[in-house]
Amino acid sequence: STAPAESPDTAVDVVAEPAEPEVTIDSLPRGLGLSDLAAKHYGNGCFWVYIYEENLAKIANPDNVPPGTVLVIPPAQKYHIDPNDKASVDAAKRKAFNIYRNN
Protein backbone atom coordinates (compact mmCIF):
# COMPACT_ATOMS: atom_id res chain seq x y z
CA SER A 1 0.00 0.00 0.00
CA THR A 2 1.20 3.52 -0.69
CA ALA A 3 1.04 6.40 1.75
CA PRO A 4 -1.26 9.26 0.75
CA ALA A 5 0.54 12.27 -0.67
CA GLU A 6 0.82 15.28 1.62
CA SER A 7 -1.63 17.96 0.71
CA PRO A 8 -0.06 21.41 0.22
CA ASP A 9 -1.90 22.92 3.19
CA THR A 10 -0.34 20.40 5.64
CA ALA A 11 3.21 20.61 4.31
CA VAL A 12 5.64 22.30 6.69
CA ASP A 13 8.53 24.34 5.44
CA VAL A 14 11.65 23.06 7.15
CA VAL A 15 14.77 25.17 7.14
CA ALA A 16 17.68 22.82 6.67
CA GLU A 17 20.35 23.39 9.26
CA PRO A 18 23.88 22.24 8.55
CA ALA A 19 24.08 18.62 9.63
CA GLU A 20 26.34 17.90 12.57
CA PRO A 21 29.10 15.65 11.24
CA GLU A 22 28.91 12.17 12.66
CA VAL A 23 31.52 11.20 15.20
CA THR A 24 33.56 8.16 14.24
CA ILE A 25 34.92 5.79 16.85
CA ASP A 26 37.82 3.46 16.10
CA SER A 27 40.16 1.38 18.18
CA LEU A 28 43.87 1.15 17.68
CA PRO A 29 44.92 -2.27 16.39
CA ARG A 30 48.04 -3.90 17.80
CA GLY A 31 51.17 -2.76 15.99
CA LEU A 32 49.63 0.40 14.56
CA GLY A 33 49.88 4.01 15.65
CA LEU A 34 47.92 7.22 15.40
CA SER A 35 49.41 7.99 11.99
CA ASP A 36 48.03 4.69 10.69
CA LEU A 37 44.54 5.64 11.89
CA ALA A 38 44.92 9.10 10.34
CA ALA A 39 45.95 7.58 7.01
CA LYS A 40 42.92 5.25 7.14
CA HIS A 41 40.40 7.98 7.97
CA TYR A 42 41.92 11.08 6.32
CA GLY A 43 44.20 9.81 3.57
CA ASN A 44 47.41 11.09 5.18
CA GLY A 45 49.17 10.01 8.36
CA CYS A 46 50.27 13.54 9.25
CA PHE A 47 46.74 14.27 10.46
CA TRP A 48 47.31 12.06 13.56
CA VAL A 49 47.65 15.30 15.53
CA TYR A 50 43.89 15.88 15.39
CA ILE A 51 43.09 12.38 16.64
CA TYR A 52 45.58 13.01 19.43
CA GLU A 53 43.95 16.34 20.35
CA GLU A 54 40.47 14.80 20.40
CA ASN A 55 41.66 12.09 22.76
CA LEU A 56 44.07 13.89 25.09
CA ALA A 57 42.27 12.42 28.11
CA LYS A 58 43.15 8.91 26.89
CA ILE A 59 46.61 9.46 25.38
CA ALA A 60 49.60 10.35 27.53
CA ASN A 61 52.18 9.83 24.79
CA PRO A 62 51.19 9.99 21.09
CA ASP A 63 53.94 7.48 20.26
CA ASN A 64 52.77 4.93 22.81
CA VAL A 65 49.02 4.39 22.59
CA PRO A 66 48.01 0.99 23.98
CA PRO A 67 46.45 -1.40 21.42
CA GLY A 68 42.69 -1.54 21.70
CA THR A 69 42.38 2.06 22.91
CA VAL A 70 39.00 3.33 21.69
CA LEU A 71 39.46 6.72 20.07
CA VAL A 72 37.20 9.46 18.72
CA ILE A 73 38.09 10.23 15.10
CA PRO A 74 37.01 13.84 14.56
CA PRO A 75 35.22 14.75 11.34
CA ALA A 76 37.70 16.11 8.80
CA GLN A 77 35.80 19.39 8.43
CA LYS A 78 36.25 20.18 12.15
CA TYR A 79 39.97 20.75 11.60
CA HIS A 80 39.88 21.59 7.88
CA ILE A 81 41.63 18.31 7.09
CA ASP A 82 42.30 17.93 3.38
CA PRO A 83 45.06 15.55 2.26
CA ASN A 84 45.09 17.28 -1.15
CA ASP A 85 45.69 20.76 0.29
CA LYS A 86 49.32 21.62 1.02
CA ALA A 87 48.28 24.26 3.58
CA SER A 88 46.20 21.68 5.49
CA VAL A 89 49.07 19.17 5.48
CA ASP A 90 51.59 21.85 6.52
CA ALA A 91 49.33 22.97 9.39
CA ALA A 92 49.21 19.40 10.70
CA LYS A 93 53.00 19.09 10.44
CA ARG A 94 53.48 22.34 12.40
CA LYS A 95 51.07 21.08 15.04
CA ALA A 96 53.04 17.82 15.31
CA PHE A 97 56.27 19.78 15.75
CA ASN A 98 54.67 21.77 18.58
CA ILE A 99 53.27 18.66 20.26
CA TYR A 100 56.72 17.04 20.36
CA ARG A 101 58.40 20.27 21.41
CA ASN A 102 56.04 20.62 24.38
CA ASN A 103 56.16 16.95 25.52
Side-chain angles (χ1 to χ4, degrees):
S1 78
T2 59
E6 262 189 84
S7 62
D9 58 337
T10 61
V12 177
D13 286 337
V14 176
V15 177
E17 293 186 25
E20 219 18 65
E22 286 190 31
V23 172
T24 302
I25 305 292
D26 203 347
S27 62
L28 195 64
R30 182 171 301 283
L32 297 183
L34 293 179
S35 62
D36 298 300
L37 277 185
K40 172 183 170 184
H41 290 279
Y42 305 130
N44 187 321
C46 75
F47 296 120
W48 68 266
V49 295
Y50 303 114
I51 298 172
Y52 172 70
E53 284 193 340
E54 284 290 309
N55 295 279
L56 279 174
K58 298 179 184 177
I59 302 173
N61 176 345
D63 290 329
N64 187 17
V65 181
T69 302
V70 176
L71 302 168
V72 172
I73 309 299
Q77 54 270 43
K78 179 174 181 179
Y79 293 104
H80 310 290
I81 295 170
D82 181 352
N84 300 312
D85 178 17
K86 184 178 181 334
S88 178
V89 171
D90 289 346
K93 289 179 180 177
R94 278 192 305 278
K95 189 171 280 294
F97 175 81
N98 290 327
I99 288 169
Y100 284 119
R101 190 178 66 189
N102 295 324
N103 274 349

